[in-house]
Amino acid sequence: MKFTETTTSKKEKWKRLHGGQKLQYIWDYYKFPIVVCFIFLYIIGYNVYGHLSKKDIILYAALVNVSVDDQNSVQLSDGFLDFIDAGSSQNAVQLYKGLYLASDQDDPNHEYTYASRIKIIASIDSEQLDIALMNKEAFDAFSSNGYLCNLEELLQDLDPGAYKELKPYLVTNTVILTDNSEELPTDETLTYQAVTKEYPMGLNISQKGLFKQAGFKNDLYLGVIRNAPHADIAVKYINYLYSD
């Protein structure tokens, strides 16, 4: 009976209210479910928007010991999407910038070098790196650690025509298969020994195409990561960089 009287009382009170008073009444009595409902709708809307606006990463590229301005950065990302008619609203090139590697242990940026190395290794292990654009020092580091694939074989397999055109720009480097570097600190009688292998690991990208137009004075190199998840797109990216 009490429940019926309370409900009836609320109905009568509702009839006496006008305009904004009704809104205030609703808020006073139902604020908690209203807030919960808004939170629920926000979560749904956020997830739907994220799903609809999410872009597919079709290529991961890293600039190592290389700095570019905003214009060249756009050319290295959205410019490539236009080149292959991929559409920047649905697809994207993930461009890692600000990576720095140095072989000198006394380099003042040693801590920054360590952080960059960790990020590079993590990206390779998680298959989130396809291409590295780098100077000679970084190219040697990538090569010696075995990060780079055989570009001659890759181009011959995926684009024989591009291989014939780009063959003069191929650069051979050395990978260290095994060495005794870990034993040297504990035995002064040992000399450094290593088993190595040489093959075309890079392309000199500063002699033709986009980077030559950008006016880079020193040689820059491109390497494709050995476990690149988008090797076919990487070859298209190479063609783009060498295009006029």
Side-chain angles (χ1 to χ4, degrees):
M1 187 68 177
K2 183 177 181 181
F3 175 79
T4 304
E5 290 176 352
T6 303
T7 303
T8 302
S9 175
K10 287 182 178 181
K11 288 183 178 179
E12 292 177 352
K13 184 176 182 180
W14 175 259
K15 291 179 181 179
R16 293 195 299 268
L17 298 176
H18 301 281
Q21 292 178 328
K22 289 188 176 182
L23 294 177
Q24 185 63 45
Y25 178 83
I26 293 173
W27 176 250
D28 290 340
Y29 280 91
Y30 303 104
K31 67 175 65 177
F32 179 74
I34 290 174
V35 170
V36 172
C37 182
F38 274 116
I39 292 175
F40 184 69
L41 291 175
Y42 171 79
I43 293 173
I44 293 177
Y46 181 83
N47 289 332
V48 170
Y49 174 78
H51 177 74
L52 295 177
S53 62
K54 183 179 180 181
K55 296 183 179 182
D56 293 327
I57 305 298
I58 65 171
L59 187 78
Y60 298 95
L63 293 170
V64 188
N65 295 7
V66 177
S67 179
V68 298
D69 58 24
D70 291 341
Q71 180 180 354
N72 284 320
S73 181
V74 171
Q75 286 184 301
L76 292 173
S77 52
D78 291 347
F80 171 63
L81 297 176
D82 293 338
F83 179 76
I84 62 173
D85 196 24
S88 58
S89 60
Q90 300 86 25
N91 303 292
V93 173
Q94 178 65 61
L95 191 63
Y96 301 120
K97 297 186 288 186
L99 297 174
Y100 180 76
L101 293 180
S103 57
D104 186 2
Q105 296 295 326
D106 297 326
D107 189 280
N109 297 312
H110 177 68
E111 292 185 1
Y112 189 64
T113 298
Y114 178 77
S116 294
R117 190 180 301 275
I118 294 299
K119 182 172 182 178
I120 290 168
I121 294 174
S123 298
I124 293 175
D125 289 343
S126 60
E127 295 188 359
Q128 292 184 327
L129 187 56
D130 296 293
I131 280 179
L133 308 169
M134 51 205 157
N135 69 350
K136 184 62 166 64
E137 185 174 20
F139 178 46
D140 289 341
F142 270 74
S143 300
S144 63
N145 284 284
Y147 296 157
L148 305 177
C149 74
N150 188 319
L151 264 180
E152 185 174 51
E153 293 178 354
L154 182 70
L155 290 172
Q156 285 179 329
D157 289 342
L158 298 181
D159 195 338
Y163 167 70
K164 292 180 181 179
E165 182 179 349
L166 301 177
K167 187 176 180 180
Y169 304 103
L170 285 170
V171 182
T172 298
N173 215 330
T174 304
V175 56
I176 300 175
L177 302 177
T178 60
D179 66 7
N180 62 344
S181 58
E182 294 183 357
E183 302 172 14
L184 294 179
T186 60
D187 191 342
E188 297 180 355
T189 65
L190 294 177
T191 57
Y192 179 74
Q193 294 179 336
V195 178
T196 64
K197 182 179 180 180
E198 293 185 355
Y199 55 85
M201 302 181 190
L203 283 162
N204 190 319
I205 56 174
S206 53
Q207 297 179 0
K208 186 179 185 294
L210 191 150
F211 279 95
K212 183 178 181 180
Q213 296 169 15
F216 282 84
K217 296 180 180 180
N218 297 322
D219 285 339
L220 297 178
Y221 302 88
L222 177 148
V224 177
I225 307 304
R226 66 176 187 274
N227 64 339
H230 310 110
D232 55 336
I233 304 297
V235 172
K236 294 181 180 180
Y237 194 73
I238 291 171
N239 288 329
Y240 166 66
L241 294 182
Y242 278 94
S243 67
D244 295 326

